[in-house]
Amino acid sequence: MDHLWWYVPYATAPMLIALIATVHVFVSHYAVGGGIFLAAETAWAHKKENQEYLAYLKRHTQFFVLLTIVFGAITGVGIWWTIGLASPLATETLIRTFVFGWATEWVFFVVELAAAFLFFYLWDRLTPRAHTAIGWIYAGAAWGSLVLITGITAFMLDPGAWVKATQAGTEGTAFWAGFFNPQFLPQCTARTGAALMLATTYVLFHASWYSRMNPELQALVVRRTFRYAVAGVILTVLGIVWGACVLSDAARLSVMRAAALNIIFGAGMLASGMLLLMLILLRWRPNWLSPVAGVAVLLVSLGVLTAGEFLREAIRKPFVITECIYGNQIHVSQVEKLRENGLLESGRWTKPYMTATFPYLVDETTGKLDLEKTRTEDRTAVGKVIFMHHCNDCHASTVGYNGLALLSTSARKGELKELLLNLDSMIYYMPPWCGTETEAELLAEYLESVAEPHPFRKMEGEAENKTEPLTEIPENVSETAIQNIPQEVLQNAVPETKNMPESVPEMVTETVTENKAETVTEPTSKPVSEEKGATHDAD
């Protein structure tokens, strides 16, 4: 609760991170796999003195440098900008924990930049041996960056022994315990394979446009790239299976419980099969590599990578860093304090905001917020403040990504408060409630105020086809209709004789007479007017 929240309407901040990060992943994996491809293929072309293939590789290197170095660097900066705003506590924790790792990765990135520009701009000025060496320097630096970053991203999924090392105060070993986490090697294997597969599809996409007029060159490119695709498939499958075997119990349960994740996993596997089939067909018939086929192969490969990234992010819930920081930027050690003192009271920024906006809530004696004093007209406004700091990181306020106006539809009045107080036990992938009971009540009222009407059930407070009490019998009601009126309705009726029909059945007469504190012992079928007349005559 030491950082300001960042509100992104409809999309939410995490989805903005996902958008930029996914685009960056498309480029960064190509930077690794493409670097290995260019280094190995340039060495082979120099050895075979195949000038035509070298000319194509130079053309592809230009495309490679523009996409990975220029655009990749821009999206990389974009990731740091968005995660710093959307997940400041998690970003701070990663920097503090892996500062040596980040520094090393930045050194590798500088080496990548220098080697890539030298490899391209000195293409015809270097000896084949020197040119090949620079290519391998770039490939090694790029793969080193992948290893370093994968250690950190895998740590976010499963910190392993880092949690215990940190709690024990052994900060010196915490870095290595966190870096060499259970998911480190499996994810390095899978990402290396994905990089090779993605490089294959980028090369085929590029070749479909620039080598289609030269069937022999196109066939050579397809034949040479196919071996990288095979290696990529083997490494990717090995890494995925390996990672699944060492998956934490919480992550495995998330996959098993969420139907959407199973669908996405199935779609990713289906797309992987389609990609492998397309590559086999192109290897068999290189002349089928048209621009349309090149685009199709590239899009399918990007779809496979997207499915994998989505699954990796989803199985961390409710954490950003597993067992350390929840998705709403609250450290696990802060939960009990926030429940005791209050979310708004404990926040470095929430307390001043509430004091300035709702000064009457500040207790003059203690100086603390007394939310019990919240005025009726301010309750939803205070609830919205609580929403922004407790829920905004993963939910849109009304409609949008995980919009709570739609998710709150099924709850009846009063149910949301109980749900919030038992949030993590009721919904497995949600963080625990981090506030007081009063704050839960205020948030529930805000959510009820924005909730969409239930399509099959009347919302609380609306009319529910209730029968109004009968105060008098209408003048035009028939004798048959009166006979069908239930006894309890007639007993609550106010007997206005002027509205009764001329002929009233025995049942009605008894009821009306009882309401007048009179007793009718004999059945009668005479009209009411005649009975009145007889009474007057008796008088």
Side-chain angles (χ1 to χ4, degrees):
M1 296 299 296
D2 294 334
H3 302 279
L4 288 167
W5 52 266
W6 185 36
Y7 176 61
V8 179
Y10 305 110
T12 72
M15 288 305 294
L16 191 59
I17 295 177
L19 176 63
I20 298 174
T22 302
V23 174
H24 180 73
V25 165
F26 292 161
V27 176
S28 62
H29 280 66
Y30 173 43
V32 177
I36 296 173
F37 168 82
L38 286 172
E41 291 305 296
T42 301
W44 183 85
H46 279 307
K47 182 179 180 180
K48 298 296 182 180
E49 297 183 353
N50 190 329
Q51 298 302 319
E52 187 177 41
Y53 192 37
L54 280 171
Y56 170 75
L57 291 175
K58 182 180 180 180
R59 186 180 301 156
H60 186 84
T61 302
Q62 183 180 21
F63 167 75
F64 174 82
V65 168
L66 289 174
L67 188 58
T68 61
I69 302 300
V70 179
F71 184 71
I74 294 173
T75 55
V77 173
I79 289 178
W80 279 104
W81 183 73
T82 51
I83 67 173
L85 289 171
S87 299
L89 181 60
T91 304
E92 177 188 346
T93 302
L94 291 177
I95 291 175
R96 288 179 179 273
T97 305
F98 298 106
V99 62
F100 176 75
W102 289 119
T104 307
E105 193 277 331
W106 290 330
V107 171
F108 275 102
F109 183 63
V110 172
V111 173
E112 283 182 64
L113 291 175
F117 285 119
L118 290 174
F119 185 74
F120 175 69
Y121 288 107
L122 300 181
W123 189 282
D124 298 320
R125 304 179 189 179
L126 296 172
T127 63
R129 183 176 180 179
H131 191 223
T132 301
I134 291 176
W136 281 114
I137 290 173
Y138 172 86
W143 188 76
S145 293
L146 180 145
V147 171
L148 288 167
I149 294 177
T150 299
I152 299 172
T153 56
F155 161 83
M156 297 174 70
L157 177 59
D158 188 351
W162 176 85
V163 176
K164 292 182 179 179
T166 304
Q167 293 173 348
T170 55
E171 299 293 342
T173 61
F175 172 87
W176 300 109
F179 188 82
F180 293 110
N181 55 80
Q183 287 289 327
F184 170 66
L185 290 177
Q187 287 203 24
C188 279
T189 304
R191 289 190 179 278
T192 301
L196 292 173
M197 278 201 306
L198 201 60
T200 300
T201 59
Y202 271 106
V203 172
L204 293 176
F205 167 76
H206 180 265
S208 67
W209 295 89
Y210 291 100
S211 67
R212 64 182 185 273
M213 302 305 295
N214 189 336
E216 293 184 2
L217 176 62
Q218 182 168 285
L220 177 63
V221 172
V222 172
R223 187 171 64 252
R224 295 294 300 177
T225 55
F226 185 72
R227 64 190 66 198
Y228 297 95
V230 173
V233 169
I234 294 173
L235 289 175
T236 302
V237 172
L238 176 62
I240 291 174
V241 174
W242 188 0
C245 292
V246 297
L247 206 61
S248 66
D249 293 338
R252 186 178 294 108
L253 184 59
S254 294
V255 175
M256 295 172 65
R257 285 173 61 103
L261 297 185
N262 286 277
I263 293 173
I264 292 173
F265 178 77
M269 295 302 294
L270 179 61
S272 300
M274 291 176 56
L275 176 61
L276 185 59
L277 178 61
M278 294 168 72
L279 293 174
I280 292 173
L281 290 175
L282 288 175
R283 175 66 179 83
W284 181 45
R285 289 286 188 270
N287 59 312
W288 287 359
L289 182 61
S290 64
V292 174
V295 171
V297 168
L298 179 61
L299 290 179
V300 172
S301 67
L302 296 181
V304 172
L305 193 58
T306 301
E309 290 297 310
F310 186 91
L311 287 169
R312 185 184 67 85
E313 292 291 321
I315 60 178
R316 287 185 310 181
K317 291 183 177 181
F319 297 97
V320 176
I321 300 177
T322 302
E323 299 183 46
C324 182
I325 298 173
Y326 288 109
N328 54 6
Q329 296 303 298
I330 294 176
H331 197 280
V332 292
S333 63
Q334 295 179 316
V335 174
E336 292 304 321
K337 176 185 175 183
L338 295 176
R339 285 179 172 177
E340 180 181 352
N341 299 330
L343 180 78
L344 300 180
E345 175 68 33
S346 304
R348 177 179 294 182
W349 302 97
T350 54
K351 178 67 178 294
Y353 175 80
M354 293 297 294
T355 302
T357 309
F358 308 100
Y360 69 89
L361 293 177
V362 181
D363 188 279
E364 296 180 357
T365 305
T366 63
K368 294 184 177 181
L369 296 174
D370 186 359
L371 298 181
E372 296 286 351
K373 298 179 180 178
T374 307
R375 297 168 184 166
T376 304
E377 62 270 20
D378 293 333
R379 293 183 71 84
T380 55
V382 175
K384 186 174 183 179
V385 176
I386 298 170
F387 162 81
M388 286 297 177
H389 289 83
H390 197 288
C391 316
N392 162 63
D393 288 272
C394 300
H395 294 276
S397 58
T398 52
V399 294
Y401 181 72
N402 282 336
L404 285 178
L406 302 177
L407 296 179
S408 303
T409 295
S410 59
R412 290 185 172 89
K413 188 175 180 62
E415 291 180 340
L416 283 175
K417 177 185 173 182
E418 294 302 317
L419 173 63
L420 291 171
L421 291 173
N422 301 280
L423 198 56
D424 54 334
S425 60
M426 298 291 288
I427 306 176
Y428 170 73
Y429 50 83
M430 295 289 286
W433 173 246
C434 303
T436 63
E437 185 174 348
T438 302
E439 287 175 324
E441 183 177 346
L442 291 168
L443 176 57
E445 290 185 22
Y446 168 70
L447 296 178
E448 289 169 356
S449 71
V450 299
E452 292 290 329
H454 194 286
F456 307 120
R457 184 185 72 230
K458 294 285 187 179
M459 295 299 291
E460 189 74 21
E462 295 180 355
E464 296 183 351
N465 297 325
K466 294 180 179 179
T467 304
E468 294 294 333
L470 182 64
T471 58
E472 63 179 21
I473 300 177
E475 295 181 359
N476 59 349
V477 68
S478 66
E479 180 177 341
T480 304
I482 292 176
Q483 291 175 344
N484 293 328
I485 298 176
Q487 281 278 4
E488 58 270 18
V489 175
L490 287 171
Q491 289 173 357
N492 294 329
V494 177
E496 296 290 343
T497 55
K498 64 178 182 179
N499 291 327
M500 286 190 176
E502 293 184 354
S503 178
V504 182
E506 176 183 353
M507 174 185 66
V508 178
T509 307
E510 291 179 353
T511 304
V512 172
T513 307
E514 288 174 2
N515 288 337
K516 287 186 172 184
E518 296 179 359
T519 303
V520 178
T521 57
E522 295 294 328
T524 178
S525 59
K526 296 179 180 180
V528 175
S529 59
E530 293 182 9
E531 186 176 335
K532 286 184 177 181
T535 304
H536 288 306
D537 291 343
D539 293 338

